[in-house]
Amino acid sequence: MVNRALTLLSVLAFMATPVWSANILALFSTFSPSHLIVHMSMIKTLADQGHNLTIVTTLKLKIAPHENMTFIHAPSNDDRLKAMNEGLEKLSREKLNMMKDIYNSVINAGTILGIGYDFVVDPKVKAIYENPQIKYDLLVLGYLGNEFQLGIAAKLDVPAVLIWAGGPITFVDDSVGNIYDPSYVPSITMAADPENQTHSFSWRIRNFGKWLVFKALGLALEYKMNSFYEYVKSKRVFGNDSNMPSYDEVKQRVSLLFYNYHSHSEGPVRPTVPQSIEIGGIQIQEKPTPLPVDLAGFLNNATNGAIFFSLGTNVKLKYFEPQLIETIYQVLSRQPLRIIWKWDDQKPKPGNASNIYFHNWLPQDDILAHPNTKLFITHAGKGGVAEAQYHGVPMLALSVFADQPGNAQLMMASGFGISMDLLTLNKESLEKGIQEVLNNPVYRDNVRKFSDLYRDRPLTARQSVIYWTEYVMRHKGAYHLRSPIVKLGFVARYNLDVFAILLLILVCSMIFFVFLLRLLIKKIRLKTQFKVKRE
Ligand SMILES: *[C@@H]1O[C@H](CO)[C@@H](O)[C@H](O)[C@H]1NC(C)=O
Ligand SMILES: *[C@@H]1O[C@H](CO)[C@@H](O)[C@H](O)[C@H]1NC(C)=O
Ligand SMILES: *[C@@H]1O[C@H](CO)[C@@H](O)[C@H](O)[C@H]1NC(C)=O
Ligand SMILES: *[C@@H]1O[C@H](CO)[C@@H](O)[C@H](O)[C@H]1NC(C)=O
Ligand SMILES: *[C@@H]1O[C@H](CO)[C@@H](O)[C@H](O)[C@H]1NC(C)=O
Ligand SMILES: *[C@@H]1O[C@H](CO)[C@@H](O)[C@H](O)[C@H]1NC(C)=O
């Protein structure tokens, strides 16, 4: 009781700290609606706190107006967005293959840079950094291959915070200097085994190989970003400003990195710098909003429970063969449970089964929070998995591409459900998978246990956003938190020069030793020969 009163008091004290209204500029040139959802949850938190947010996005936002938010739409070249969507479509048709994924992201890197470039030269964005009408206190940059846009922070002379919609990946970690030790920190596509703190030789050698590939890729991307920044500068995008700092200098404006993960429950356990702030589950509402009336009726009446089926926003069902949709429909329409199916297209529905509710727009978080929801069939996007974990709903993952297979593997290894290959699905395997997750209580128990850990934190995700963002603004940047590692080059970072000197010393002393040994042997031989001669 006393404890609870104390907690309540500290929360009240936290809420009651005097607030000021800072001017914050948020730039989100991402083409991914699921990233934007995470970014906007952070922004809304700051606006609710009383700060004045100016939000510029490439995608058109569908969001309720807010008195403390000003929206600016800076659309990208349609051809580029189309190319990006076609790239995603091609990926989802093919079988999973990490090397292909990497190859495709490198191929798409040009398009991503192009989208980011269109964004900074948009007249509405140019107006912001060329003739700012108000004094900004902070730049929030949605991270996705667009660090050259930090030039805008230099132009406005404000600190910057990065926000990344997912969990730890090497490229993002490198921007603040988090340590990615390949002997125990799993690489993006490697699911860590939560039971095993020590890793087998084969695990480490695979992880090391992947780490090496991502490191090389990161260095190449960094090089590309640097030259792209110089290109943007040479195009006089930031004005005819000879004082514009170098890429290395603008990168130093990064004060914090917000991640969408919670290491204390999700892992991996790894060393992080004070600049990386975990706001896992920021997109999840702590209190669900009431469902639309028809959906609420449908779910409340689901006496046998309900299954929520959604493949997210990036993976559209139209990318898949009609046969696959038919298979899924056949199995789902036979279930005694009610089904809520996220149906993305204008296309006719696969059928009229009375137990299925099709809809284009569904409040995923609130559906998962509903006590009748027994199973979540998901593409294993980071957001959906986190929401299901938060609400304690077991999962059946049908992953397609990018980080999804890794999320699915990790989810399965954690015992929250099972994972199946979407492209080779048939009626029998799908039915078996659904029955396994519904009827074996181990999945629900595991995910409920996790849910308890996930919610147990000193500051909620929203409180962390407010505290740390205001911290940066109070101190005009959190540069004192920067790890020295970010200024070290690759050679210095891994002490390659020190090792080289040590090796040199070792080799020299060995040569010297051999030389000495030979001399000694020669002397002994001479002596013995001399002795023999004398005798
Ligand atoms: C907007 O900011 C003001 C302070 O600047 C605050 O009083 C108000 O509650 C905020 N509005 C909303 C909807 O949160
Ligand atoms: C909030 O920001 C907008 C620009 O996005 C600006 O027009 C407005 O004056 C600002 N409001 C305050 C109170 O500073
Ligand atoms: C943990 O690792 C050991 C050896 O590396 C292996 O034999 C064991 O099966 C692993 N445990 C689990 C739960 O995977
Ligand atoms: C840019 O500035 C330089 C000198 O700083 C000047 O010589 C040049 O004409 C300027 N170019 C433009 C396009 O204004
Ligand atoms: C839910 O059940 C009630 C009472 O049985 C019924 O009136 C209502 O129409 C049902 N709603 C839906 C959406 O099935
Ligand atoms: C579903 O019902 C609508 C009208 O009630 C009908 O036009 C459509 O053909 C039906 N679809 C299927 C797959 O039976």
Side-chain angles (χ1 to χ4, degrees), residues 172-180 271-273 275 483 485-486 493:
V172 187
D173 278 312
D174 284 345
S175 69
V176 289
N178 278 337
I179 294 168
Y180 239 90
T272 54
V273 297
Q275 271 193 320
S483 163
I485 225 176
V486 294
R493 159 70 183 90

Side-chain angles (χ1 to χ4, degrees), residues 295-317:
L295 185 56
F298 185 81
L299 252 180
N300 291 340
N301 282 4
T303 41
N304 289 330
I307 297 175
F308 179 32
F309 175 56
S310 163
L311 294 182
T313 44
N314 263 346
V315 188
K316 296 214 166 78
L317 276 178

Side-chain angles (χ1 to χ4, degrees), residues 342-397:
K342 182 174 166 67
W343 185 253
D344 256 335
D345 279 315
Q346 315 294 327
K347 255 182 18 178
K349 295 164 193 162
N352 289 331
S354 65
N355 71 327
I356 307 186
Y357 177 97
F358 290 98
H359 213 288
N360 185 22
W361 188 86
L362 290 166
Q364 172 163 292
D365 194 6
D366 302 325
I367 294 172
L368 290 171
H370 197 283
N372 283 350
T373 305
K374 301 282 183 245
L375 168 64
F376 181 32
I377 305 181
T378 171
H379 67 304
K382 173 82 187 164
V385 171
E387 284 166 27
Q389 289 178 176
Y390 186 89
H391 296 297
V393 179
M395 283 163 271
L396 173 60

Side-chain angles (χ1 to χ4, degrees), residues 269-477:
V269 173
R270 62 186 192 128
T272 54
V273 297
Q275 271 193 320
S276 47
I277 307 296
E278 297 171 8
I279 54 166
I282 181 73
Q283 77 284 9
I284 303 168
Q285 303 201 25
E286 284 140 24
K287 268 198 215 111
T289 39
L291 292 165
V293 177
D294 55 338
L295 185 56
F298 185 81
L299 252 180
N300 291 340
N301 282 4
T303 41
N304 289 330
I307 297 175
F308 179 32
F309 175 56
S310 163
L311 294 182
T313 44
N314 263 346
V315 188
K316 296 214 166 78
L317 276 178
K318 71 168 185 221
Y319 298 157
F320 303 112
E321 305 297 330
Q323 217 180 345
L324 184 59
I325 295 178
E326 183 58 27
T327 301
I328 296 173
Y329 175 77
Q330 293 270 325
V331 173
L332 291 183
S333 59
R334 285 207 295 255
Q335 301 298 322
L337 295 85
R338 292 197 160 178
I339 315 290
I340 296 168
W341 184 328
K342 182 174 166 67
W343 185 253
D344 256 335
D345 279 315
Q346 315 294 327
K347 255 182 18 178
K349 295 164 193 162
N352 289 331
S354 65
N355 71 327
I356 307 186
Y357 177 97
F358 290 98
H359 213 288
N360 185 22
W361 188 86
L362 290 166
Q364 172 163 292
D365 194 6
D366 302 325
I367 294 172
L368 290 171
H370 197 283
N372 283 350
T373 305
K374 301 282 183 245
L375 168 64
F376 181 32
I377 305 181
T378 171
H379 67 304
K382 173 82 187 164
V385 171
E387 284 166 27
Q389 289 178 176
Y390 186 89
H391 296 297
V393 179
M395 283 163 271
L396 173 60
L398 306 172
S399 56
V400 185
F401 67 102
D403 64 334
Q404 298 161 6
N407 296 339
Q409 240 180 313
L410 181 57
M411 183 278 287
M412 192 161 73
S414 312
F416 303 156
I418 60 176
S419 169
M420 294 169 75
D421 182 7
L422 178 65
L423 300 186
T424 59
L425 213 58
N426 61 39
K427 279 184 210 163
E428 291 71 35
S429 64
L430 181 60
E431 178 68 39
K432 223 174 120 206
I434 290 176
Q435 292 313 324
E436 168 67 12
V437 185
L438 282 177
N439 298 331
N440 190 341
V442 71
Y443 304 111
R444 175 157 287 249
D445 292 348
N446 281 339
V447 73
R448 288 251 165 103
K449 217 183 286 168
F450 173 85
S451 169
D452 288 341
L453 271 182
Y454 194 60
R455 296 168 190 230
D456 197 344
R457 332 177 177 188
L459 294 181
T460 66
R462 282 184 175 68
Q463 289 168 344
S464 296
V465 163
I466 294 167
Y467 177 81
W468 285 105
T469 310
E470 291 186 345
Y471 178 94
V472 171
M473 293 190 291
R474 271 198 297 276
H475 302 289
K476 312 246 178 306

